[in-house]
Amino acid sequence: MPLIRLRDLHLAFGGPELLSGASLTLDKGERVCLVGRNGTGKSTLLKIISGQIKPDSGVVEAIPGIKIAWLEQEVPQDARGTVFDVVASGLGQVGDLIKQYHHLLEAVSHGDDKAFAEMEQVQKQLEDKDGWQLQQRVDTALSKLDLDGDVEFLAQSGGVKRRVLLARALVQEPDILLLDEPTNHLDIESINWLEEFLLQYRNAVLFITHDRAFLKKLATRIVDLDRGKLTDWPGDYDNYLRRKEEVLHAEALEWERFDKKLSQEEVWIRQGIKARRTRNEGRVRALEAMRLERSKRRERQGNMKATIQQAESSGQKVIEAEHINVSFNGRPIVKDFSTVILRGDRIGIVGPNGVGKSTLIQTLLGQRKPDSGKVTIGTNVEVAYFDQLRAQLDENMNVRENVGGGRDTVTVNGQQKHIMGYLQDFLFSPERAHTPIRSLSGGERNRLLLAKLFTKPSNLLVMDEPTNDLDIETLELLEEIVTQYQGTILLVSHDRQFLNNIVTSTFVFEGDGVINEYVGGYDDWLRQRKTTAATTPAKETSTPKAEPKTDSKPAPAAKKKLSYKEQKELETLPQTIEKLEQELAQLHQQLADPTLYQQGANAVQALQTKATAAEKALETAFERWSELDSR
């Protein structure tokens, strides 16, 4: 028997129905992912299952005595006290007694005699309600999630708060665990822990997420909420995407046939007086039914339409950091870090919450001076900065004012566009465009910041946690837009697939201010880390330091320093590379000109030979620069 069954649910809040005949069953041991666009009603469905709201009609059937716990998307405003207090509050009235006993016990340990007498009364009440077993649940949850129960909840980071709220849900030992965007504001280490925990969880889990790696690893079934209807998609996420696309394509073809027939019938009904005298009344009734059916059709929400405006190219060297150090309250944030970021580099920045990723970006951009060391910004660098705190948005303004700044038009790729049309490209209706910022959801705020960001031409795109709160379709579109960007990218993200699909190298915070660079994305870093971990012990024990083997490969420390001539060569290589790139671009432009092929095969062959030689010279220059720079 299913743990819970939803049948023919209907719910509306004044507009189109969020749920229109939705049905769902959930069995023990399932991990079901609920997917759908922002605003389609996913969180509302979780509230119905948890009993917080009731549908307009339909049936919700659950087994007697079922326990349901919900980890909501936003941190609740009423959560107060210590971490222990918040976790224990998940146990209701008994939780209040447990909190009281915990605080009295602390007071007694500090010599408060009055607290001792009061503690005896609370202890008796706990015994009557089997409270000791429940307190053990609280202690276990705190231990498993590595939480300090005595610190203030409100003083913690967003990631820690999410773990505290998860612990509050788990102490109830629910039959159904509802998770609404559980990976939001969690760092990669915490996400990995949560994945492993849920893989071992024996009861049912229903979760909403935009993290595709998280979805792929956990989901045993995918449920899609689209225009009020719930559809089941067994199998993995890739299978869901393929079959969903097939269904949408079939729907589009069916609608096209229907609209064509409706158009033909509308022409027939408007024929001359003679035709109307002889018209078939059954055909008229069929037309009226078609009109009614067409009026009830619900179109899918459109996709965001956006392009990043490209500024003129920066110089070959975008940012150079030389032995920079940054500390905060005596704690090293960045220790002796050096790097050269070249035009076209796509760099991911990875590390735990609070480690200093945003501080590193601010230092590299020149917004914060390092304690020591030097940061040099290249020539003609135009920055577009997506701030995870959305500080660029003015809470006192509405959507239109934040993007347009009081103007009726914005300039996009050199062309004027009306502000309302531009906002519609980012899925803001005319009504929503006049909504105050404080009334927007997290996903809407992120889309708004993107809309504001993309009005500015740039050649250095800095994105600090851009994926939070975006639905998967918008996230994939953003990924496509960023992939097509021709400039340089600095990306801070905990979305592993987003990193894998975009970046070409990764800066990793590895503790105590140490930052190391790895080639490739997140998965490439994991492979290199495992390889390093596997080979390091062997290097330490294979050969004693006093007896180095003469036939062994030279160690990195044995590399010779650059000679004066090599130093000069390294300084001139960026200019050489830039000239070769320009030459190659001109050759490709000439080869793309149709008139070239009217000049005969010899002319084409000559240009192709030049292009091949330029490509080889450019590759050689890059290899030489990499060799010298590594020394």
Side-chain angles (χ1 to χ4, degrees), residues 53 92 113 151 188 246 271 294 303 310 357 364 376 471 544 621:
I53 63 176
D113 295 334
V151 298
I188 292 178
E246 292 171 355
Q271 287 177 347
R294 179 64 182 85
N303 287 323
Q310 194 81 39
K357 300 185 293 296
L364 293 177
T376 305
D471 59 53

Side-chain angles (χ1 to χ4, degrees), residues 27 90-91 123 139 201 279 318 348 366 375 395 414 417 464 502 512 546 589 603-604:
D27 295 319
L91 297 172
Q123 182 176 348
D139 294 335
Y201 194 70
R279 65 189 180 188
V318 179
V375 175
E395 294 281 338
K417 188 167 186 177
D464 193 351
I502 289 178
D512 198 28
Q589 188 175 1
V604 176

Side-chain angles (χ1 to χ4, degrees), residues 371-436:
D371 299 337
S372 62
K374 180 182 178 183
V375 175
T376 305
I377 309 295
T379 59
N380 198 33
V381 175
E382 296 290 340
V383 181
Y385 189 3
F386 184 101
D387 175 17
Q388 67 164 322
L389 300 178
R390 309 183 186 110
Q392 300 171 54
L393 299 180
D394 190 333
E395 294 281 338
N396 298 316
M397 294 183 178
N398 61 29
V399 171
R400 175 175 177 165
E401 292 167 340
N402 263 280
V403 175
R407 300 185 302 272
D408 290 333
T409 60
V410 293
T411 303
V412 181
N413 293 324
Q415 296 182 344
Q416 294 290 318
K417 188 167 186 177
H418 196 276
I419 183 67
M420 299 305 293
Y422 180 72
L423 288 173
Q424 286 179 341
D425 289 343
F426 288 84
L427 307 182
F428 289 102
S429 65
E431 296 79 14
R432 206 64 176 159
H434 294 92
T435 301

Side-chain angles (χ1 to χ4, degrees), residues 15-296:
E17 285 190 321
L18 285 177
L19 301 176
S20 180
S23 298
L24 174 70
T25 60
L26 194 60
D27 295 319
K28 184 175 181 177
E30 284 193 299
R31 296 187 299 272
V32 178
C33 182
L34 178 62
V35 300
R37 300 296 298 272
N38 283 343
T40 55
K42 301 187 299 296
S43 297
T44 301
L45 183 65
L46 295 192
K47 290 180 180 179
I48 290 176
I49 294 174
S50 65
Q52 295 187 37
I53 63 176
K54 293 184 178 180
D56 297 335
S57 63
V59 179
V60 179
E61 299 174 333
I63 60 173
I66 190 172
K67 293 181 182 178
I68 300 175
W70 184 36
L71 175 63
E72 52 199 299
Q73 187 172 352
E74 299 295 334
V75 176
Q77 299 297 318
D78 60 346
R80 295 287 189 275
T82 65
V83 167
F84 186 95
D85 293 341
V86 175
V87 174
S89 67
L91 297 172
Q93 293 181 349
V94 178
D96 292 337
L97 288 173
I98 292 173
K99 287 189 291 182
Q100 188 178 358
Y101 182 83
H102 181 76
H103 290 299
L104 289 171
L105 185 63
E106 185 176 357
V108 168
S109 67
H110 288 86
D112 188 339
D113 295 334
K114 293 182 179 179
F116 183 80
E118 189 177 349
M119 187 177 71
E120 288 183 336
Q121 297 177 359
V122 175
Q123 182 176 348
K124 187 175 184 302
Q125 294 179 60
L126 282 172
E127 290 173 352
D128 294 340
K129 297 183 178 182
D130 196 22
W132 300 121
Q133 183 179 355
L134 298 179
Q135 181 177 351
Q136 184 63 37
R137 287 192 203 171
V138 176
D139 294 335
T140 301
L142 292 172
S143 175
K144 283 186 176 181
L145 276 75
D146 193 23
L147 295 168
D148 183 351
D150 295 325
V151 298
E152 285 296 316
F153 174 77
L154 292 178
Q156 305 309 303
S157 67
V160 172
K161 287 178 180 177
R162 299 286 288 174
R163 288 164 59 190
V164 173
L165 295 175
L166 176 62
R168 184 173 71 171
L170 293 176
V171 295
Q172 303 173 47
E173 294 189 350
D175 301 295
I176 299 176
L177 181 61
L178 306 176
L179 304 175
D180 194 351
E181 295 288 5
T183 64
N184 265 8
H185 310 295
L186 291 186
D187 55 37
I188 292 178
E189 183 178 352
S190 298
I191 293 172
N192 286 329
W193 176 90
L194 182 59
E195 284 178 346
E196 295 304 319
F197 175 84
L198 293 176
L199 284 172
Q200 304 299 322
Y201 194 70
R202 295 184 179 181
N203 293 331
V205 181
L206 176 62
F207 64 98
I208 301 168
T209 187
H210 66 262
D211 188 323
R212 291 160 292 177
F214 186 81
L215 189 163
K216 290 177 180 179
K217 187 166 185 178
L218 288 178
T220 58
R221 178 161 59 103
I222 295 173
V223 174
D224 180 73
L225 179 55
D226 183 11
R227 290 163 287 178
K229 302 288 186 181
L230 285 173
T231 51
D232 264 305
W233 304 88
D236 58 20
Y237 179 64
D238 292 331
N239 178 64
Y240 155 74
L241 290 178
R242 183 177 61 255
R243 293 180 60 187
K244 176 74 173 180
E245 186 64 29
E246 292 171 355
V247 168
L248 292 176
H249 179 66
E251 179 186 70
L253 292 177
E254 177 60 30
W255 283 3
E256 184 180 351
R257 287 192 293 267
F258 180 91
D259 291 345
K260 183 177 181 180
K261 183 178 179 181
L262 177 59
S263 178
Q264 291 170 345
E265 293 301 289
E266 293 289 1
V267 170
W268 168 78
I269 200 68
R270 287 171 175 78
Q271 287 177 347
I273 186 68
K274 182 178 179 181
R276 289 200 296 272
R277 285 175 182 168
T278 59
R279 65 189 180 188
N280 186 312
E281 292 301 326
R283 189 172 178 180
V284 173
R285 288 192 296 272
L287 173 59
E288 292 173 349
M290 291 179 70
R291 287 172 175 171
L292 180 62
E293 182 180 346
R294 179 64 182 85
S295 68
K296 292 182 178 180

Side-chain angles (χ1 to χ4, degrees), residues 296-571:
K296 292 182 178 180
R297 179 187 298 176
R298 292 180 64 177
E299 304 284 351
R300 294 194 79 228
Q301 183 184 16
N303 287 323
M304 188 178 75
K305 302 173 186 176
T307 56
I308 306 177
Q309 294 195 71
Q310 194 81 39
E312 293 184 7
S313 295
S314 65
Q316 179 65 22
K317 186 185 293 184
V318 179
I319 298 173
E320 181 176 10
E322 302 176 73
H323 305 289
I324 61 173
N325 290 276
V326 180
S327 60
F328 182 74
N329 289 338
R331 181 173 67 91
I333 303 296
V334 179
K335 181 187 290 184
D336 194 27
F337 178 64
S338 300
T339 189
V340 176
I341 300 173
L342 299 179
R343 184 178 67 231
D345 282 350
R346 297 162 174 261
I347 297 174
I349 302 177
V350 174
N353 284 339
V355 76
K357 300 185 293 296
S358 298
T359 300
L360 173 63
I361 283 182
Q362 292 165 5
T363 306
L364 293 177
L365 295 179
Q367 298 175 357
R368 175 185 182 128
K369 289 185 178 181
D371 299 337
S372 62
K374 180 182 178 183
V375 175
T376 305
I377 309 295
T379 59
N380 198 33
V381 175
E382 296 290 340
V383 181
Y385 189 3
F386 184 101
D387 175 17
Q388 67 164 322
L389 300 178
R390 309 183 186 110
Q392 300 171 54
L393 299 180
D394 190 333
E395 294 281 338
N396 298 316
M397 294 183 178
N398 61 29
V399 171
R400 175 175 177 165
E401 292 167 340
N402 263 280
V403 175
R407 300 185 302 272
D408 290 333
T409 60
V410 293
T411 303
V412 181
N413 293 324
Q415 296 182 344
Q416 294 290 318
K417 188 167 186 177
H418 196 276
I419 183 67
M420 299 305 293
Y422 180 72
L423 288 173
Q424 286 179 341
D425 289 343
F426 288 84
L427 307 182
F428 289 102
S429 65
E431 296 79 14
R432 206 64 176 159
H434 294 92
T435 301
I437 299 300
R438 57 182 173 273
S439 300
L440 299 182
S441 68
E444 287 175 318
R445 289 183 182 222
N446 269 16
R447 290 206 311 271
L448 177 60
L449 186 51
L450 290 173
K452 184 171 184 175
L453 191 71
F454 293 169
T455 59
K456 178 184 178 181
S458 67
N459 49 39
L460 173 57
L461 180 62
V462 182
M463 308 189 81
D464 193 351
E465 291 292 354
T467 64
N468 281 344
D469 304 309
L470 295 180
D471 59 53
I472 291 179
E473 292 190 27
T474 304
L475 174 58
E476 290 177 341
L477 178 63
L478 175 63
E479 186 177 283
E480 181 180 342
I481 294 168
V482 173
T483 301
Q484 295 171 356
Y485 184 65
Q486 298 300 310
T488 308
I489 296 173
L490 293 178
L491 171 65
V492 177
S493 181
H494 300 313
D495 189 315
R496 294 155 293 179
Q497 186 162 338
F498 196 72
L499 286 166
N500 284 335
N501 293 344
I502 289 178
V503 306
T504 56
S505 62
T506 307
F507 293 164
V508 182
F509 283 77
E510 299 194 305
D512 198 28
V514 175
I515 304 171
N516 289 319
E517 182 174 1
Y518 297 85
V519 176
Y522 174 77
D523 288 344
D524 298 307
W525 163 57
L526 286 184
R527 283 191 290 270
Q528 293 173 72
R529 183 179 65 172
K530 290 178 181 177
T531 301
T532 303
T535 56
T536 299
K539 289 181 180 178
E540 292 175 350
T541 58
S542 58
T543 306
K545 291 183 180 180
E547 301 177 4
K549 292 185 178 180
T550 57
D551 60 346
S552 62
K553 294 182 180 180
K559 290 182 180 178
K560 296 180 180 179
K561 292 184 177 180
L562 295 181
S563 65
Y564 177 79
K565 181 179 179 181
E566 287 174 327
Q567 289 177 348
K568 288 296 182 183
E569 182 183 3
L570 179 60
E571 291 175 1

